[in-house]
């Protein structure tokens, strides 16, 4: 993985010293809050409902064990013993004290982590496929390109004050695990005449106006990545609306001007901008790539795995649910669920973070990933180690076999923490997970993604959940709208609203009615919820959700 | 026709800790909602807000919000302020775990 050089290290040290002085000046009264707020936001520090919140970037979701231990240290020393992994491959600390934040940033810098551009109207943390460099279906590891984009975008003078935040996601696989079509720019590695390049998608995004991105370039040579991105950003910076923050994202720019006009303008600028790139970026990319050489995978047989798989049904259930195919048949990709039933989606305690760091060292070539689905991944584990790994995960309370199932819910912090939220998300997720655990139904239900947001900004990606739940404030009461049919993958789709929302105490029974309907509608156990929805449409689910309305019609 | 004035309290976040605080009738800040000053008059509310804003270097995000009179002092009328008064649902953190005055 990428290792900071002397320049990077000095840059972070200088940046942190600068912020430390700014914090001191705010505390001694030299700076007002109006003056200080943009400075703290540039360093990932928000003021939320109950306390400050520090958002730390985990670039392209990749961590080593030392970095994970530092995240644990921050949780333990300066927070309340846990951290919250988010859908943007960040970790958030919900209780830091203002005076402690510079120390937290210094501790992060020691292991090459930071909170730069995790906030503000700038290019945010670049996200990537959490199975990068391990997935069987991968064309090329996308992370060196993500690192190149990170370095290019960090403190880029032209893009620090955009109309709104700007999010880029990148994947090197045909299966989209990075939700590229719901980003301001999505980059998908494709091949043409045997040479890998990028399909470039622009204008996707969720929030108030959910839109699936449009292809602006079906093939972009790798060497043109930065000048092309710069051209897209430049056009957005020029055309993007600044009169209304709700219409300031590039998705609205694309919608209002049309993809053809945007493409034409981007291509025009691209011709100019690429001349300014003299190849330095490509030299840098080669240096970056050298840090992403895959681990030397060990050989050996997988007998212990096969024996445990046959003999131990608990291990088998976990293996069937939480493992994914690795490019090397003797290895597996392990998703560690941090969604134990009834727990807060995405939360890990300091002890669990240390435990995962130890396990990555012992079994996972010292690599961890954070997924946008709020789980932790060990991308390379030899199958012979899986029984021992599973046993140790159990000790840490991390062996829940629910990846991709109904309790593997994405949920934003909602009104339990977030100042923007209009309703709570976390307890809804907790209650749905607990309910289906009690019913012992989730393995029977199979692959199903529930995504919950506590406000229209859609940090919980509810629009692309098979079942999406949006919490709103309706006349001073929490109310939850349901959408069905959303899809976060390469076949991305925005879900359709079912009808009137549900009160807080009605939402879990409503989800239960949806699932009961699905179980009776599916044509076999192999047909997923999404497939059934696409086959039968909204009406049978609507009938299950609103039985009273059906009676009136009858 | 203007909407009738509803009683208010003044709330903010503490600069150093970030936690929720309330303005009292003695021009100090308390972490307990029940110690907040309940302001029944619209003009008085604006004057008290100006008074509170004198602390803008020490506290953050001062604003007026609806409240009602209860048996033990002011109570929130909206769930957002109720959550701010207590703390998150998933852990007994925030006001649920600590209560010390500024």
């Amino acid at each position: 993985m990428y290792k900071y050089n002397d320049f990077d290290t000095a840059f972070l040290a200088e940046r942190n010293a600068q912020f430390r002085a700014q914090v001191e000046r705010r505390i001694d009264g030299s700076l007002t809050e109006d003056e200080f707020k943009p400075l703290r936001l540039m360093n990932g520090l928000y003021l939320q409902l109950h306390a400050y919140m520090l958002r730390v970037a985990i670039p392209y979701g990749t961590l080593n064990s030392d970095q994970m231990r530092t995240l644990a240290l921050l949780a333990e020393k300066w927070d309340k013993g846990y951290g919250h992994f988010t859908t943007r491959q960040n970790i958030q600390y919900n209780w830091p004290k203002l005076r402690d934040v510079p120390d937290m940033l210094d501790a992060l810098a020691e292991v090459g982590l930071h909170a730069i551009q995790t906030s503000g109207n700038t290019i945010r943390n670049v996200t990537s496929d959490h199975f990068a460099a391990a997935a069987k279906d991968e064309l090329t590891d996308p992370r060196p390109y993500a690192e190149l984009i990170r370095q290019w975008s960090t403190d880029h003078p032209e893009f620090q004050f955009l109309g709104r935040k700007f999010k880029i996601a990148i994947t090197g696989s045909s299966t989209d695990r990075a939700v590229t079509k719901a980003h301001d720019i999505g980059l998908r590695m494709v091949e043409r005449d045997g040479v890998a390049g990028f399909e470039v998608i622009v204008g996707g995004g969720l929030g108030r106006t959910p839109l699936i991105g449009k292809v602006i370039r079906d093939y972009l040579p790798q060497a043109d990545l930065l000048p092309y991105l710069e051209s897209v950003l430049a056009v957005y910076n020029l055309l993007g609306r600044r009169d209304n923050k709700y219409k300031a994202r590039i998705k609205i720019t694309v919608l209002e001007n049309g993809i053809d006009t945007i493409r034409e303008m981007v291509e025009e600028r691209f011709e100019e901008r690429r001349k300014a790139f003299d190849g330095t970026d490509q030299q840098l990319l080669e240096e970056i790539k050298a840090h992403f050489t895959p681990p030397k995978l060990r050989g050996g047989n997988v007998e212990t795995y096969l024996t445990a798989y046959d003999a131990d049904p608990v291990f088998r259930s976990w293996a069937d649910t939480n493992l994914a195919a690795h490019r090397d048949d003797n290895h597996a990709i392990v998703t560690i669920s941090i969604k134990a039933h009834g727990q807060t989606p995405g939360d890990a305690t300091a002890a669990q973070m240390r435990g995962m760091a130890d396990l990555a060292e012992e079994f996972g070539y010292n690599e961890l990933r954070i997924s946008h689905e709020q789980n932790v991944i060990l991308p390379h584990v030899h199958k012979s180690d899986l029984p021992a790994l599973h046993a140790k995960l159990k000790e840490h309370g991390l062996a829940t076999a629910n990846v991709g199932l109904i309790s593997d819910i994405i949920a934003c912090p909602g009104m339990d923490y977030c100042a923007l939220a209009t309703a709570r998300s976390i307890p809804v997720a907790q209650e749905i997970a607990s309910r289906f655990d009690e019913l012992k139904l989730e393995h029977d239900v199979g692959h199903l993604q529930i995504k919950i947001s506590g406000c229209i900004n859609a940090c919980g990606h509810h629009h692309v959940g098979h079942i999406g739940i949006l919490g709103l404030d309706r006349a001073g009461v929490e109310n939850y709208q349901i959408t069905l049919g959303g899809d976060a993958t390469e076949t991305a789709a925005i879900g359709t609203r079912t009808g009137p929302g549900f009160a807080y105490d009605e939402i879990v029974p409503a989800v239960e009615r949806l699932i009961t309907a699905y179980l009776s509608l599916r044509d076999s156990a192999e047909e997923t919820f999404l497939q059934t929805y696409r086959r039968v449409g909204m009406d049978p689910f609507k009938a299950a959700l609103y039985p009273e309305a059906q009676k009136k019609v009858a | 026709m203007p909407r009738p004035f509803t009683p208010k309290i003044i709330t903010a976040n503490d600069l150093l800790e970030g936690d929720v605080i309330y303005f009292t009738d003695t021009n100090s800040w308390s972490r307990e909602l029940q110690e907040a000053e309940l302001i029944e008059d619209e003009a008085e509310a604006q004057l008290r807000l100006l008074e509170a804003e004198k602390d803008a270097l020490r506290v953050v995000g001062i604003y007026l919000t609806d409240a009602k009179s209860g048996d033990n002092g002011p109570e929130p009328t909206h769930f957002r302020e109720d959550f701010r008064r207590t703390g998150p649902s998933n852990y007994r953190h925030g006001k649920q775990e600590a209560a010390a005055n500024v």
Side-chain angles (χ1 to χ4, degrees):
Chain A
M1 64 192 293
Y2 183 69
K3 286 193 172 41
Y4 277 26
N5 60 26
D6 290 346
F7 175 86
D8 300 322
T9 306
F11 172 80
L12 271 192
E14 192 182 329
R15 173 78 175 238
N16 288 352
Q18 199 179 49
F19 186 56
R20 185 179 290 277
Q22 289 161 351
V23 168
E24 288 307 320
R25 286 161 63 210
R26 175 68 181 100
I27 291 171
D28 72 18
S30 310
L31 288 177
T32 65
E33 186 59 22
D34 284 347
E35 290 162 336
F36 180 63
K37 187 177 175 182
L39 303 173
R40 67 168 160 79
L41 289 177
M42 285 172 79
N43 290 281
L45 184 63
Y46 288 74
L47 184 63
Q48 295 285 26
L49 215 56
H50 309 293
Y52 287 99
M53 179 272 278
L54 179 66
R55 179 182 292 152
V56 175
I58 299 168
Y60 32 92
T62 295
L63 285 171
N64 63 27
S65 294
D66 284 345
Q67 290 174 322
M68 186 63 122
R69 288 193 189 99
T70 297
L71 298 183
L73 173 77
L74 262 66
E76 201 166 67
K77 188 170 178 182
W78 292 294
D79 209 271
K80 292 184 187 290
Y82 65 96
H84 176 76
F85 292 106
T86 77
T87 52
R88 292 222 40 85
Q89 296 180 316
N90 295 307
I91 184 169
Q92 295 183 172
Y93 296 98
N94 286 318
W95 304 95
K97 308 282 187 284
L98 179 59
R99 203 184 286 281
D100 293 335
V101 173
D103 290 341
M104 297 170 82
L105 294 177
D106 281 349
L108 290 168
E110 281 182 25
V111 291
L113 290 172
H114 59 78
I116 296 168
Q117 293 183 197
T118 58
S119 174
N121 292 336
T122 184
I123 300 170
R124 299 290 187 90
N125 185 37
V126 179
T127 53
S128 180
D129 181 356
H130 43 267
F131 290 171
K136 213 175 177 62
D137 59 1
E138 184 174 274
L139 202 58
T140 307
D141 184 352
R143 295 172 304 157
Y145 301 94
E147 175 60 28
L148 182 70
I149 296 169
R150 189 186 74 84
Q151 294 194 20
W152 159 79
S153 66
T154 299
D155 273 0
H156 193 302
E158 191 178 348
F159 307 131
Q160 292 310 297
F161 297 97
L162 296 167
R164 284 284 276 142
K165 57 188 166 186
F166 201 92
K167 299 174 179 177
I168 300 174
I170 179 166
T171 177
S173 294
S174 51
T175 306
D176 186 356
R177 286 173 287 264
V179 208
T180 57
K181 291 185 176 176
H183 278 74
D184 295 296
I185 295 180
L187 296 166
R188 199 169 69 88
M189 193 69 83
V190 291
E191 218 168 31
R192 181 180 280 181
D193 302 327
V195 181
F198 296 102
E199 179 186 67
V200 184
I201 302 156
V202 301
L206 304 177
R208 188 176 294 260
T209 312
L211 290 167
I212 298 299
K214 293 181 162 46
V215 175
I216 188 167
R217 254 289 190 129
D218 56 8
Y219 183 85
L220 180 75
Q222 294 176 45
D224 289 334
L225 179 62
L226 291 190
Y228 196 82
L229 289 182
E230 209 164 279
S231 304
V232 174
L233 263 297
V235 169
Y236 164 60
N237 219 358
L238 180 74
L239 288 186
R241 288 178 58 171
R242 290 171 194 261
D243 60 319
N244 179 340
K245 71 180 276 195
Y246 303 116
K247 295 185 175 178
R249 299 292 289 269
I250 194 173
K251 61 187 174 184
I252 304 297
T253 316
V254 172
L255 192 68
E256 290 184 345
N257 295 277
I259 186 68
D260 294 336
T261 303
I262 299 294
R263 183 182 294 116
E264 207 173 296
M265 291 180 75
V266 168
E267 291 294 336
E268 207 174 286
R269 271 150 192 80
F270 175 54
E271 283 307 311
E272 290 300 313
R273 295 228 173 200
R274 80 195 303 192
K275 291 176 196 158
F277 283 78
D278 59 1
T280 312
D281 60 323
Q282 293 306 297
Q283 287 168 18
L284 179 60
L285 178 63
E286 289 312 308
E287 288 169 27
I288 291 169
K289 277 183 178 172
H291 293 294
F292 285 92
T293 47
K296 199 166 180 295
L297 300 177
R298 69 183 170 85
N301 66 53
V302 298
E303 281 307 309
T304 51
Y305 166 70
L306 296 172
T307 306
Y309 190 87
D310 286 341
D312 179 354
V314 176
F315 173 74
R316 184 165 61 245
S317 168
W318 175 81
D320 286 343
T321 312
N322 291 27
L323 302 185
H326 195 279
R327 58 189 163 79
D328 176 72
D329 287 341
N330 286 341
H331 283 72
I333 301 170
V334 176
T335 298
I336 302 172
S337 167
I338 46 174
K339 313 264 184 74
H341 300 107
Q343 298 300 304
T344 304
D347 274 16
T349 66
Q352 286 176 326
M353 286 188 243
R354 287 202 181 93
M356 290 187 278
D358 292 345
L359 295 175
E361 261 176 3
E362 190 174 355
F363 301 117
Y365 302 89
N366 194 20
E367 258 199 62
L368 302 113
R369 307 282 172 76
I370 307 304
S371 72
H372 79 270
E373 288 158 337
Q374 298 177 291
N375 286 316
V376 179
I377 285 104
L378 301 180
H380 319 283
V381 180
H382 196 278
K383 284 181 177 171
S384 64
D385 287 332
L386 289 170
L389 172 68
H390 180 246
K392 291 196 178 182
L393 285 172
K394 276 203 270 191
E395 291 169 18
H396 294 290
L398 292 167
T400 310
N402 65 344
V403 170
L405 303 182
I406 197 167
S407 62
D408 186 8
I409 298 169
I410 287 180
C412 73
M415 198 180 269
D416 282 307
Y417 295 93
C418 179
L420 298 176
T422 46
R424 289 173 296 170
S425 298
I426 292 169
V428 175
Q430 288 174 306
E431 286 172 32
I432 292 171
S434 296
R435 180 69 183 135
F436 283 90
D437 187 39
E438 284 165 9
L439 295 172
K440 300 297 171 206
L441 261 182
E442 68 176 332
H443 284 270
D444 187 25
V445 171
H447 182 59
L448 174 61
Q449 293 181 326
I450 297 185
K451 300 175 194 262
I452 307 174
S453 301
C455 79
I456 202 159
N457 293 310
C459 294
H461 294 186
H462 66 277
H463 294 294
V464 289
H466 303 161
I467 297 176
I469 300 174
L470 166 63
L472 294 168
D473 174 351
R474 283 278 177 265
V477 179
E478 289 169 293
N479 187 272
Y480 295 87
Q481 286 180 356
I482 293 178
T483 50
L484 299 180
D487 178 1
T489 70
E490 62 280 1
T491 49
I494 302 295
T496 303
R497 202 178 136 198
T498 57
F502 297 87
Y504 179 84
D505 58 359
E506 293 172 344
I507 185 65
V508 179
V511 171
E512 198 176 324
R513 291 201 297 281
L514 277 176
I515 301 307
T516 305
Y518 156 65
L519 291 174
S520 65
L521 288 164
R522 68 181 178 185
D523 61 12
S524 75
E526 278 67 50
E527 189 181 55
T528 65
F529 180 90
L530 187 60
Q531 288 165 341
T532 301
Y533 172 79
R534 284 177 173 168
R535 179 172 57 81
V536 305
M538 176 68 88
D539 287 350
F541 290 105
K542 215 167 171 173
L545 274 179
Y546 306 104
E548 292 306 314
Q550 296 298 313
K551 273 185 211 161
K552 279 180 196 160
V553 171
Chain B
M1 202 169 113
R3 290 170 61 186
F5 180 78
T6 50
K8 302 276 190 290
I9 56 168
I10 296 170
T11 183
N13 288 76
D14 178 60
L15 172 67
L16 296 177
E17 307 288 314
D19 60 341
V20 179
I21 50 177
Y22 304 97
F23 199 54
T24 72
D25 58 7
T26 58
N27 293 354
S28 62
W29 293 90
S30 169
R31 282 176 161 75
E32 301 300 323
L33 174 59
Q34 62 194 38
E35 292 175 7
E37 176 187 19
L38 187 69
I39 311 162
E40 311 264 4
D41 176 79
E42 188 168 9
E44 178 68 7
Q46 293 304 322
L47 288 172
R48 295 299 290 155
L49 185 62
L50 287 173
E51 187 66 34
E53 285 172 344
K54 288 180 183 172
D55 279 333
L57 283 176
R58 214 162 60 93
V59 305
V60 182
I62 304 165
Y63 64 94
L64 285 162
T65 187
D66 284 345
K68 63 184 180 188
S69 181
D71 292 342
N72 298 306
E75 288 178 0
T77 59
H78 189 276
F79 60 88
R80 184 178 193 273
E81 289 304 325
D82 200 19
F83 297 149
R84 287 181 83 238
R85 173 176 68 160
T86 53
S89 307
N90 56 340
Y91 305 110
R92 290 196 61 76
H93 289 160
K95 292 279 187 287
Q96 299 159 107
E97 102 182 322
N101 285 335
V102 174

